[in-house]
Amino acid sequence: GGSSNLASVLKWVNQYFNYPLTSSELKKIIGQISSDAPAFLENKVAIAKGKGEKVEFLPLENFKNQPITLLIPKGVISPTAEIYKKVRAFHYSSKEEIQKIKKLIKFPSLTFEEFLKYIKNPLGEIFLQQFTIIKKTLEILEKMRYKKFFVSGSGSTLWSYGSLKCLEELDFLKK
């Protein structure tokens, strides 16, 4: 989404110019532009609250270097403001759901695949309601190979865990 793009670009600019800003200075500047963008500087899995400015990072060291596949729908622009307007109280995770996730991640035997069963993105759900063709495409891909696709943020990118074999499957669908 836009927040992760902002954080990535400004992190790169800071690196390119040999780090003129400290990490905390960079976070402060980015936070003035977007409330949830500073969290993306950390490159970690997190639980966000409020407008994304209240972030708790999760200790998921055993999930590093997991292969993922990204899909960026051509010609689809996510109407982020419209999607946020449709968020209602029932979209949010309950405190009980969050506590369950926090307990689960403490188990060293928890696999990446098991963890993904608990990921929730209400913005993505709303996005897929608006873009039914993308929802149908994802359903086909999930049946073909992937267990689940996820919407990043409010819909600019779709992702799944696994190799780029997905691209071969997409080429097959085009024929």
Side-chain angles (χ1 to χ4, degrees), residues 3-4 27 30-31 34-42 44 46-57 84 92 123:
S3 298
S4 61
K27 283 181 188 177
I30 291 174
S34 169
S35 62
D36 66 339
F40 293 102
L41 292 172
E42 298 297 327
K44 296 179 182 178
I47 293 176
K49 297 178 183 175
K51 294 179 181 176
E53 77 283 5
K54 300 173 188 170
V55 179
E56 179 181 353
F57 294 102
Y84 268 93
Y92 295 105
L123 299 176

Side-chain angles (χ1 to χ4, degrees), residues 17 31 46 58-59 95 113-114 118 128 133 141 147 159 164:
F17 287 103
L58 305 177
K95 289 181 182 179
E113 189 173 315
E114 289 169 334
Y118 297 95
L128 291 175
I133 187 69
L141 288 170
K147 286 145 189 83
W159 68 276
L164 294 177

